Amino acid sequence: MKILDRNSVDLFFDALKRQGFALVGPTIPDSAIVYDEIGSSADLPVGWTDEQDGGTYRLKKRDDEALFGYVVGPQSWKKFLHPPSLRLWTAHREGKGFKIIPEQDDPPKLAYIGVRSCELHAIAIQDKVFIGGPFLDSSYGLRRENVFIVAVNCGQAGGTCFCVSMKTGPKATAGFDLALTEIIEPGRHYFTVETGTGRGEEVLRDLPYTEATEADPATVERIVEKTVSQMGRTLDTTDIKNLLYQNLEHPRWDQVATRCLSCANCTMVCPTCFCSTVEDVTDLSGEHAERWRKWDSCFTSDFSFVHGGTVRPSVKSRYRQWMTHKLATWIDQFGTSGCVGCGRCITWCPVAIDITEEVRAIRETKK
Amino acid sequence: MGKRRKPKLAVWKFASCDGCQLSLLNCVDELPALAERVEIAHFLEASSAVMKGPYDLSLVEGSITTPRDLERILQVRRVSKFLVTIGACATAGGIQALRNFKDVKEFVSIVYARPDYIETLETSTPIADHVPVDFELHGCPIDKRQLLEVIGAFLIGRRPNVPSHSVCIECKLKGTVCVMVAHGTPCLGPVTHAGCGAICPSYHRGCYGCFGPKETPNTASLSREWSRLGASEQEILNVFRGVNANAEAFRKESDLHARRND
Ligand code: SF4
Ligand code: SF4
Ligand code: SF4
Ligand code: SF4
């Protein structure tokens, strides 16, 4: 473990840039902390935090100058690894047929600054989905290959967080190049740095770090323990697959359907949801065509449209599909849960539907 | 299509403000390409020169509000191979459908010096209430990209990419932060048909539903959330009684609030 002073953070960012990485990280364009391009530590949400609960999110001033003193925002790293819309190829008419021109996909090398533990797990889950099986998603693979991950251990939990229940946090244990813990004491603002890879070590090499003292790992543990004690939500995952499979006709699904808007916000903000649709577009001349991939959601009626109609016409069937996929069928499909407990679907649901509450309600009155 | 004759395009107007037709004229950059592919055969807003029908593609703007409209729409249908309605008036009845909630004779007697000159129907109704419609393009006004998409799709014989999901998905694809969750601003986006590209939320305003109801709109749940955020019954009534007041889901919801207001 090494120690990096707050004042060296920009040197650290410069070192990453010298290695050819563009930086993306938390920043505040208006009313929420989102992930976007950043130049220096001044672009981070310095001195800001977020207050979250079901259906509500507010930025608040902190009484210190913390760089990472917030939880997670509406966006996840999915927006870089699995872009919301992506052109897959273009085509031109040629004689009686057409010629396909493959997309020149050359994503930039990005360093992700401030990846949380639940997000590392979400990335690992999407790795499985996109590049872990026999069929590789080349656009995801290309983007993933280029990423340098700077994780940050959460110094506080949000009102909708439940990573402890899902065993995905709050401490980053794997999947990073470097992992930071931010420590603010009277008169001192610094970071402990753990290295996860050789690349990480290399970036550190030229920085003015010091070796950690014996007290530092204990300080990190204390911070993590405090975060654990602050989890806003809990979800009991005991035998969850069978719980849901045996309660597919539970009356709770009807109740949640009276509230659910089938707006799809929950799936859009979820860092593991991977569904997309494909659109073929042509221009007016009819000489050019393009194929685009766009995020889709099991909450739309088109999602399950097959010849003759929609398989899930009711909101009830869509909510049930979503929740059982996240918590049960995902396990059959990929060997892990599809939920990392980040709480985004709870915060960003306009009517505050809460996945942990829905599971609890079914568990308490199960068949 | 190659050597065949160019398909004939016609644009028709019923009770409307012309804004949707203007969306077509607004396609300045695309009009030359469009004129290459179609014969603009009947478009009075653009030219008084009119070619005879039948027409391959008819774009119909406006709602049915007079006995004369009732006859004319049958005629338009007869001369059109493919009929697409454009805008809130044609697809839902428009703002003029507010008459459907009141007594028209009373308005007429108050507004006009010679009410006996006025021949009008009790209601303003969408085109699809009267003739079969091949495709409905929503919006007030319609979105020009979507209009070009529909025409382009028609020309090549494919389904247009015009999803009927919520405006929320457009917010999320763009990376726009939700105004309901982050500001507490009531927004109609979760029950509104996508198409505008989430313009209002991008400017920190709530959506007010100019594209009409999305598929499976849960207006009751959203109204409860609006109340929780502080909207009055009157405000909720007003937002559902906009340009899409006569669209079924919005009409039913507004009727509920009208009863509660009484
Ligand atoms: S289901 Fe909800 S809490 Fe779980 S990972 Fe997705 S957004 Fe986060
Ligand atoms: S929950 Fe729905 S949108 Fe998310 S991955 Fe599963 S099917 Fe796709
Ligand atoms: S659970 Fe909430 S966010 Fe998800 S579709 Fe339903 S209303 Fe929208
Ligand atoms: S701002 Fe409105 S349209 Fe956008 S996500 Fe929020 S509720 Fe939906």
Side-chain angles (χ1 to χ4, degrees), chain A residues 58 259-260 262-263 280 284, chain B residues 37 161 166 181 214 218 221:
Chain A
R58 292 292 182 279
R259 298 172 60 208
C260 177
S262 64
C263 63
D280 287 344
L284 283 174
Chain B
R37 291 300 310 281
N161 296 308
S166 65
V181 172
K214 76 171 197 52
N218 190 344
S221 173

Side-chain angles (χ1 to χ4, degrees), chain B residues 22 26 73 83 85 91 93 96 102 107 120 132-133 139 205 250:
Chain B
L22 279 176
N26 261 341
I73 190 59
L83 190 156
T85 49
T91 58
Q96 58 276 25
K102 297 278 181 215
F107 292 151
T120 187
V133 167
R205 290 191 37 170
F250 286 7

Side-chain angles (χ1 to χ4, degrees), chain A residues 267 273-275 296-298 303 321-322 325-326 330:
Chain A
T267 55
C273 273
F274 53 77
C275 285
D296 199 0
S297 165
C298 52
F303 184 87
Q321 153 65 25
W322 173 71
H325 191 208
K326 298 270 82 165
W330 203 295

Side-chain angles (χ1 to χ4, degrees), chain A residues 67-287:
Chain A
L67 307 187
F68 299 99
Y70 58 89
V71 189
V72 290
Q75 302 177 345
S76 67
W77 307 96
K78 172 170 97 171
K79 81 176 224 192
F80 302 110
L81 288 169
H82 175 46
S85 52
L86 187 71
R87 188 167 60 198
L88 300 178
W89 46 258
T90 50
H92 300 304
R93 196 188 285 281
E94 253 187 21
K96 283 195 185 323
F98 59 92
K99 183 172 177 225
I100 290 183
I101 296 136
E103 196 62 17
Q104 290 295 333
D105 198 3
D106 193 14
K109 273 173 76 176
L110 296 181
Y112 296 177
I113 309 297
V115 182
R116 303 310 173 104
S117 179
C118 61
E119 299 183 312
L120 293 172
H121 285 263
I123 292 171
I125 287 172
Q126 288 213 325
D127 285 353
K128 255 196 183 160
V129 172
F130 286 118
I131 50 177
F135 306 105
L136 302 186
D137 184 298
S138 56
S139 69
Y140 183 93
L142 266 179
R143 283 163 179 74
R144 183 70 179 92
E145 217 162 71
N146 281 333
V147 176
F148 187 100
I149 292 183
V150 181
V152 168
N153 290 320
C154 290
Q156 67 188 63
T160 57
C161 289
F162 56 104
C163 63
V164 170
S165 303
M166 303 315 291
K167 303 189 177 58
T168 56
K171 189 170 191 300
T173 52
F176 54 79
D177 293 289
L178 294 170
L180 315 179
T181 306
E182 184 166 31
I183 301 171
I184 303 180
E185 290 166 350
R188 192 166 173 222
H189 186 176
Y190 66 104
F191 293 87
T192 64
V193 189
E194 278 171 78
T195 46
T197 60
R199 291 202 298 180
E201 213 165 307
E202 209 172 301
V203 170
L204 268 187
R205 196 175 303 142
D206 299 333
L207 296 178
Y209 63 81
T210 57
E211 291 299 332
T213 66
E214 251 169 57
D216 289 311
T219 309
V220 171
E221 277 322 305
R222 251 198 334 274
I223 289 173
V224 169
E225 275 315 308
K226 191 186 88 210
T227 307
V228 166
S229 72
Q230 291 174 343
M231 288 290 132
R233 298 289 199 273
T234 56
L235 192 152
D236 177 2
T237 57
T238 316
D239 200 25
I240 188 127
K241 238 174 66 174
N242 290 322
L243 175 73
L244 294 179
Y245 289 167
Q246 284 158 17
N247 287 279
L248 293 174
E249 297 305 330
H250 196 283
R252 184 72 188 190
W253 303 115
D254 293 297
Q255 285 169 31
V256 73
T258 64
R259 298 172 60 208
C260 177
L261 305 163
S262 64
C263 63
N265 276 308
C266 48
T267 55
M268 297 283 128
V269 297
C270 180
T272 68
C273 273
F274 53 77
C275 285
S276 56
T277 182
V278 164
E279 280 181 1
D280 287 344
V281 297
T282 44
D283 65 356
L284 283 174
S285 73
E287 296 299 311

